[in-house]
Amino acid sequence: MSSPTDQRSPLTDRAALTRNRARARRMGHVDLFHRIAADEIEDRLAEVNRRFTAPAIVTGFPEFWARRFPQAKVVPDEDRLDLAPGAHDLVIHALALHWADDPVGQIVQARRALREDGLFLGVCFGNQTLHELRAALAQAEAEVTGGLSPRILPMGEIRDLGALLQRGGMALPVADGFSQRASYRDLFHLARDLRAMGEGNAMAARLRRPTRREVLARAAAHLAAHHPDRDDPSRVAVTFDLVFLTGWAPSDSQPKPLRPGTAQTSLADALNDIRKQQK
């Protein structure tokens, strides 16, 4: 993940990502994880004692999110977000941050678009996503060709993703998430679903020629051997990791941590008080 001033090659081929998303729409977009993410976001918003009147959503699939949040302004996850400064009290970054070359820049732009004490909610795939498929493909390609090609997007760990919130200037940052297991007939069934999700390989450094059939056959065999579905061993199971990021645009009304050295009670004294109460 690079910054705007970084001279390294980009992680994502945006033209390929756009083509993948268009193909997913033609295939009848498999929106399962968008539905899971939207349900979770609605639950979280219900727990916030506030009514949001000017929401915005950043996503690669505006049709789905516009239906779920018809009152929101929905914009594509481009390098420069089409969001006016201070125009929104809620910004949702919906299942697109993992494709960003500059995720911190995306969060910074979201913060600028928020009003004071506005809420940012991001959801993206985390590092355990498709780790089973990654391992099967790597083993098969190494056996057949003696090399490795970038095939599955490198995704961040929850701790690293949470740190992006602070780097992006968000206050009260929180990162959490959960894993979802999904069952498929085989690797080829999984691959078709990934294409229909719009989550096929769009890395800039990807292999630009068709993968050899022997590599795919061996990968399918490795996936079936090492990751069978517990409920139906004739199928395979893979992990999708969903990470949720929550932060607030800074405001003087928010609680502030104490400055170092201003505590009125030492930790040792507090522990001694606890021990006395337990006796």
Side-chain angles (χ1 to χ4, degrees), residues 83-146:
L83 297 174
H88 302 282
D89 54 5
L90 169 66
V91 174
I92 298 170
H93 208 297
L95 279 179
L97 198 60
H98 54 286
W99 284 112
D101 282 327
D102 181 22
V104 175
Q106 293 281 297
I107 294 173
V108 168
Q109 292 181 73
R111 177 180 56 77
R112 289 173 180 165
L114 285 168
R115 299 168 186 168
E116 184 177 294
D117 203 31
L119 175 61
F120 172 82
L121 273 173
V123 54
C124 60
F125 289 114
N127 73 311
Q128 288 302 302
T129 299
L130 298 175
H131 70 88
E132 305 91 346
L133 178 61
R134 188 193 306 274
L137 285 168
Q139 183 177 351
E141 190 169 22
E143 291 171 354
V144 174
T145 70

Side-chain angles (χ1 to χ4, degrees), residues 87-253:
H88 302 282
D89 54 5
L90 169 66
V91 174
I92 298 170
H93 208 297
L95 279 179
L97 198 60
H98 54 286
W99 284 112
D101 282 327
D102 181 22
V104 175
Q106 293 281 297
I107 294 173
V108 168
Q109 292 181 73
R111 177 180 56 77
R112 289 173 180 165
L114 285 168
R115 299 168 186 168
E116 184 177 294
D117 203 31
L119 175 61
F120 172 82
L121 273 173
V123 54
C124 60
F125 289 114
N127 73 311
Q128 288 302 302
T129 299
L130 298 175
H131 70 88
E132 305 91 346
L133 178 61
R134 188 193 306 274
L137 285 168
Q139 183 177 351
E141 190 169 22
E143 291 171 354
V144 174
T145 70
L148 291 176
S149 302
R151 296 183 180 275
I152 296 177
L153 186 72
M155 288 163 273
E157 295 185 7
I158 190 168
R159 181 180 301 177
D160 296 331
L161 291 170
L164 299 182
L165 291 167
Q166 289 181 308
R167 291 175 59 193
M170 293 292 178
L172 309 175
V174 176
D176 65 293
F178 57 84
S179 293
Q180 183 81 34
R181 298 278 286 174
S183 175
Y184 294 92
R185 291 192 300 272
D186 51 31
L187 178 145
F188 304 101
H189 180 208
L190 167 59
R192 186 189 184 284
D193 239 26
L194 290 175
R195 288 194 293 272
M197 291 178 194
E199 295 293 340
N201 190 351
M203 286 187 289
R206 71 191 184 281
L207 189 69
R208 299 304 178 104
R209 61 179 183 275
T211 298
R212 292 167 59 174
R213 291 184 179 179
E214 186 180 357
V215 171
L216 295 176
R218 287 204 185 192
H222 291 320
L223 190 64
H226 298 295
H227 302 286
D229 187 331
R230 295 171 186 169
D231 297 325
D232 183 353
S234 68
R235 298 170 65 87
V236 298
V238 294
T239 302
F240 289 88
D241 213 12
L242 284 177
V243 176
F244 292 83
L245 305 175
T246 305
W248 297 83
S251 169
D252 291 338
S253 65

Side-chain angles (χ1 to χ4, degrees), residues 25 52 62 69 75 79 105 111 117 130 136-137 204 209 216 221 231 262 264 269 276:
R25 293 183 182 95
F52 296 98
F69 295 86
V75 302
D79 290 341
R111 177 180 56 77
D117 203 31
L130 298 175
L137 285 168
R209 61 179 183 275
L216 295 176
D231 297 325
T262 60
Q264 300 298 311
D269 290 341
K276 291 176 181 178

